[in-house]
Amino acid sequence: MNKKKISILILSILFLYSCKEGDKYQGPTKDFGISEYYKPFLFSKSDTLIISKTLKYDFNDYAFEQKSKIAIKLVDTSQNILTNKNIRLYINDEFVVNNEFEINSEKSVSGKIRIGIQLLPDYPAGYTSGFISISSHDLDIVNNTDLNTSSELRLFKWEANHKLIMNPLKKGLMWFSVIVLSILLLWFLVFRNRIYPKFKKGKIQILKPYFGGITFNRKAKLIVLTATQKKQKLLNKVFTGKVIYEVNTMYQEDIILRPGRGSKLKIKLPIGARISPSVINLEKFNKYSIQYNNESIEIQYS
C-alpha cells in the first residue's frame, strides 16, 4: 500500500514564469511594482507604502489530518534570510518580526495570504529582488515538488523597484513659488500700469500763495495737495505705485492730480472750487489759477 503524501499547493496570483539564461532558478517570478520614497524636507518625511501581492494556499486532506504546517521566510538572492532593517515583511497588513511567518492547517485548510514588502527610505534605490522560501515544514510535497528528493525550497522570486521621487512638500512649495512668481511678473509687467497708470516725467510749480515745486516721474500714480501729512503703506506703494503728497494747511480739502492721455494731467477739485482757464486736463507749459475757499492758487505744469 502506497504511503499517503502530505502536500500543500501554493499559488500566487498572476505569477509570471521566467527562465533567464544562466539563472538556475526557473520558478515563478512576481513583480511587486514600484515603491516610491522621498528625502526629508522641513517637517515632511517619507511614509513608504507597502507593495503587496496575494498568495493562495490549499492543504490536502491528509495534511489537515496530520495538522501539518509550513514556515515561510523572505530571503535575498543568495537565499539568506534578510537582516536589513530597512526592508520589512507584512502578512495581511501586519508586520512580521524576523521576516518569517507560518501557515498552519489547523487554522485554515485553504485561503489567501496578503504578502506585503515595505522598503524604507534608507533602503538602496533601484531594482531589488529576493525569494519567498520555505524555512521549515512537515510536508512531503509543495506545488507538486517532492521535498524528500528536491533541494529547491524557493516558492517564487519577488522583484521590486525602489524609486526616489521629489518630496511632495518641496514639490508643492516649488510649484507654489512658480505660480506666485508668474502672477507677480504678469502684475508688474502687464496689469499694474494698466490699472494704475503712471505719470510721465514732469513738474508742478506752485507760484501762489507760496512758492514750491513737485517733481514726479514714471513711478508715481497720484499727486495729492493736502492739509495733513499722510503715509502710504509700503505694499500699496510697491504694487500700485507711489503717491506724492504736497502738504500745506491751506488745502482744507484735497486736490488730486492723475495721469491723463499723453503728457496731460487730470485734475480733481473739491466741490465749489474753480479753475481758470476752465479745463479738466492740465497741459504742459500752461499756467492755471484755482479759486478755493477765498484763496487763489496759481500753478504751472512743465
Side-chain angles (χ1 to χ4, degrees):
M1 181 176 179
N2 293 333
K3 179 183 176 182
K4 291 184 179 179
K5 296 289 186 180
I6 304 174
S7 67
I8 180 175
L9 179 64
I10 299 177
L11 301 172
S12 57
I13 303 298
L14 298 176
F15 274 136
L16 303 176
Y17 282 82
S18 64
C19 180
K20 298 180 181 178
E21 187 176 352
D23 188 354
K24 294 181 181 180
Y25 179 74
Q26 298 182 8
T29 298
K30 184 57 185 176
D31 184 2
F32 274 60
I34 298 174
S35 175
E36 296 180 339
Y37 74 103
Y38 48 86
K39 294 181 179 179
F41 177 73
L42 299 178
F43 54 84
S44 175
K45 294 183 179 180
S46 182
D47 184 15
T48 308
L49 297 177
I50 299 171
I51 49 178
S52 59
K53 295 297 174 185
T54 301
L55 187 77
K56 287 184 178 180
Y57 66 90
D58 187 13
F59 288 94
N60 68 3
D61 293 339
Y62 189 63
F64 173 67
E65 291 173 6
Q66 297 299 314
K67 300 179 181 179
S68 299
K69 57 187 176 182
I70 181 172
I72 297 175
K73 61 185 176 180
L74 185 69
V75 299
D76 59 21
T77 52
S78 300
Q79 300 190 59
N80 297 318
I81 192 163
L82 287 168
T83 57
N84 191 329
K85 294 181 180 179
N86 293 311
I87 182 170
R88 294 178 176 178
L89 177 65
Y90 286 79
I91 298 299
N92 296 331
D93 299 324
E94 292 187 7
F95 175 60
V96 177
V97 181
N98 298 326
N99 290 328
E100 189 172 4
F101 65 98
E102 183 182 84
I103 304 175
N104 195 326
S105 63
E106 287 188 273
K107 295 181 179 179
S108 178
V109 175
S110 62
K112 296 179 181 179
I113 292 178
R114 187 174 179 82
I115 299 179
I117 296 174
Q118 185 182 37
L119 305 176
L120 299 182
D122 289 335
Y123 191 83
Y127 172 83
T128 187
S129 65
F131 295 95
I132 296 294
S133 181
I134 300 171
S135 59
S136 65
H137 65 90
D138 53 9
L139 301 168
D140 295 319
I141 298 173
V142 175
N143 285 356
N144 296 322
T145 299
D146 192 337
L147 299 181
N148 296 317
T149 59
S150 174
S151 60
E152 181 59 80
L153 297 177
R154 294 172 293 182
L155 296 175
F156 66 86
K157 182 179 180 180
W158 61 267
E159 296 178 329
N161 200 307
H162 202 206
K163 183 179 179 181
L164 176 64
I165 61 173
M166 184 180 289
N167 187 296
L169 177 61
K170 187 176 183 179
K171 186 176 182 180
L173 288 176
M174 183 189 73
W175 279 110
F176 177 76
S177 300
V178 169
I179 292 170
V180 170
L181 182 60
S182 300
I183 292 173
L184 289 175
L185 286 173
L186 282 172
W187 175 254
F188 284 107
L189 297 178
V190 179
F191 295 111
R192 186 181 71 158
N193 289 342
R194 291 186 179 183
I195 299 173
Y196 300 98
K198 304 299 182 294
F199 294 108
K200 290 181 171 58
K201 189 175 181 180
K203 185 175 183 179
I204 295 290
Q205 290 180 306
I206 301 171
L207 306 175
K208 184 182 177 182
Y210 67 94
F211 186 79
I214 305 167
T215 302
F216 52 88
N217 53 31
R218 294 181 180 273
K219 295 181 180 180
K221 65 173 182 177
L222 285 178
I223 297 172
V224 181
L225 309 181
T226 182
T228 57
Q229 184 68 46
K230 298 176 183 178
K231 187 175 182 181
Q232 185 182 9
K233 292 183 179 180
L234 179 61
L235 286 178
N236 182 273
K237 183 178 180 179
V238 171
F239 283 92
T240 65
K242 183 179 179 181
V243 178
I244 299 173
Y245 294 100
E246 172 66 19
V247 181
N248 194 295
T249 54
M250 66 169 292
Y251 303 115
Q252 296 179 16
E253 294 183 58
D254 293 350
I255 298 174
I256 300 173
L257 298 172
R258 289 188 173 88
R261 286 189 176 183
S263 59
K264 295 180 180 180
L265 302 181
K266 293 180 181 179
I267 185 168
K268 181 181 179 182
L269 298 171
I271 296 174
R274 293 178 292 109
I275 186 170
S276 179
S278 182
V279 294
I280 297 176
N281 296 304
L282 308 185
E283 296 188 10
K284 269 194 170 185
F285 311 114
N286 288 343
K287 290 183 180 181
Y288 299 92
S289 177
I290 301 172
Q291 303 300 318
Y292 174 60
N293 287 340
N294 298 320
E295 292 280 357
S296 179
I297 305 169
E298 289 187 9
I299 61 173
Q300 182 176 349
Y301 172 35
S302 59

